[in-house]
Amino acid sequence: MSMNTFQISCFLAVAEHLNFARAAEQLHVTQPAVTQQIHALEKELGVSLFARTTRSVRLTQEGRLFLQDARQLFHLATRAKARFQNASTGGIQDLAVGCDSYPCLFSLSGVLGQLRQGHPNLHPHLQVVPFPQAFRLLEEGDLEVVVGFRKPGVVKGTTYRELGTFPLVCLLPAGHPLAKRETLRLEDLKGERLVLLPPERTLPQVAKLQGALLEGKPLEEVYRCDSREAIAALVGGGFGVAVLPNLLVPPSGTVEAVPLVGVEPASFGVYYRTHQGKPLVKAFIAALREEFAAPRTEGAGQAPGGPPCAPGGSGVQ
């Protein structure tokens, strides 16, 4: 039996609710029907997608890995159906864009609004995915562009175009003595407790600075996070300080960002397949370049509520 869209729908519904009965209600089918489809899907994949007890349902590691693929498969099937349903009206213009963070995603609002004026049938499909997975989706054609900070090890056949550079900042709890400074240097942070992202989930510049700050630091003075939002929560709670590009500072009234001097800014840009010839992709990249080439004003080119693009004069070029 081959995987089908109903199986994918059942999997996504159970993954959302972690409850087979609620998933069945959402899909307007019986609970045994959902259970049967999940069993069939697990048999085809050769893995268990859910760990079930009499009291709870949770995704297995394999289930978490399959979740993004399932969402992508469901989107592709829905998109294909919509394309043919709307063929008589000129069709839908799809644009699949990946970002590695929500602040990067939020920065696209103006660009997408501008592009929509010239393409009224534009249907953006936006995904926030880790960069290794984003590159795989780009290589396989499931994404057409990836917007984010430059990373090493780009997939062969892709092109990177820089849109600008963003300075690194130190994220501090509001009211911290160092938050009163206009700029900071790395040595100013040596005595501070640290809130860090794993090296593989951050930028090379940031990973290098984190490594320097970690030298001789006791483990009890180091807090590790899986997301920038978690970093903001811990920094705001007074657990320590962190280093991020200023575009990625989540909006919060409990943290302050002070520019770091003497460190390399982070390159921000767009990746796309080198031989991409789709006019809509070219128009999107052109709109991105125009947006980031515009003079920066307070609040422009940043996550809502975040710091301005160019503190210390190191903004978008």
Side-chain angles (χ1 to χ4, degrees):
M1 180 177 181
S2 299
M3 190 184 307
N4 57 59
T5 55
F6 182 52
Q7 288 178 342
I8 299 298
S9 298
C10 290
F11 170 76
L12 291 175
V14 176
E16 177 184 354
H17 296 287
L18 295 179
N19 185 292
F20 279 72
R22 290 178 190 160
E25 290 177 7
Q26 176 183 315
L27 297 171
H28 304 290
V29 297
T30 64
Q31 182 175 335
V34 172
T35 301
Q36 181 183 11
Q37 294 302 317
I38 296 297
H39 281 316
L41 185 58
E42 289 177 324
K43 183 177 179 180
E44 181 169 352
L45 294 173
V47 297
S48 294
L49 299 173
F50 296 99
R52 310 165 180 85
T53 69
T54 55
R55 294 186 177 182
S56 68
V57 176
R58 63 178 177 82
L59 282 164
T60 62
Q61 177 65 24
E62 292 79 8
R64 287 192 293 271
L65 291 172
F66 181 63
L67 182 57
Q68 183 61 41
D69 289 332
R71 288 169 175 162
Q72 185 70 15
L73 287 168
F74 186 78
H75 165 73
L76 290 173
T78 304
R79 185 175 66 180
K81 183 178 179 181
R83 178 182 290 116
F84 291 108
Q85 287 177 338
N86 292 275
S88 61
T89 61
I92 290 174
Q93 289 186 288
D94 294 305
L95 180 66
V97 180
C99 299
D100 76 333
S101 68
Y102 285 99
C104 290
L105 183 68
F106 298 153
S107 72
L108 301 182
S109 296
V111 173
L112 292 171
Q114 175 185 339
L115 193 63
R116 181 174 177 269
Q117 294 179 15
H119 300 80
N121 289 330
L122 174 66
H123 277 237
H125 176 52
L126 309 176
Q127 294 189 66
V128 177
V129 290
F131 248 83
Q133 185 176 355
F135 282 134
R136 177 175 64 83
L137 294 174
L138 184 65
E139 183 182 27
E140 294 173 355
D142 294 325
L143 288 176
E144 293 167 300
V145 293
V146 173
V147 181
F149 287 93
R150 187 168 195 174
K151 302 286 180 69
V154 179
V155 174
K156 184 179 180 180
T158 64
T159 296
Y160 174 78
R161 185 179 293 276
E162 183 176 281
L163 299 171
T165 58
F166 287 83
L168 302 186
V169 298
C170 177
L171 204 62
L172 300 144
H176 191 288
L178 293 178
K180 300 176 182 178
R181 303 268 292 272
E182 291 187 3
T183 60
L184 292 170
R185 293 186 176 276
L186 192 62
E187 51 264 30
D188 296 324
L189 310 180
K190 288 290 187 179
E192 301 294 328
R193 292 179 297 173
L194 304 176
V195 182
L196 310 177
L197 281 172
E200 67 275 9
R201 299 194 65 176
T202 190
L203 304 176
Q205 303 99 305
V206 174
K208 183 178 179 180
L209 293 180
Q210 290 184 164
L213 291 170
L214 277 170
E215 292 182 6
K217 185 74 64 178
L219 287 178
E220 60 267 21
E221 295 184 9
V222 179
Y223 303 87
R224 302 184 184 275
C225 296
D226 290 328
S227 71
R228 298 162 184 92
E229 291 75 19
I231 280 183
L234 289 189
V235 171
F239 285 86
V241 304
V243 175
L244 291 174
N246 71 335
L247 177 66
L248 299 183
V249 176
S252 171
T254 61
V255 299
E256 297 188 39
V258 179
L260 284 171
V261 296
V263 298
E264 180 186 359
S267 175
F268 183 81
V270 56
Y271 292 91
Y272 56 94
R273 295 197 300 280
T274 303
H275 301 295
Q276 175 64 259
K278 188 175 179 180
L280 186 59
V281 172
K282 293 180 179 179
F284 176 69
I285 294 172
L288 276 173
R289 296 182 65 190
E290 181 180 344
E291 173 76 9
F292 281 85
R296 300 290 98 186
T297 59
E298 181 72 20
Q302 63 186 62
C309 250
S314 300
V316 174
Q317 305 296 314

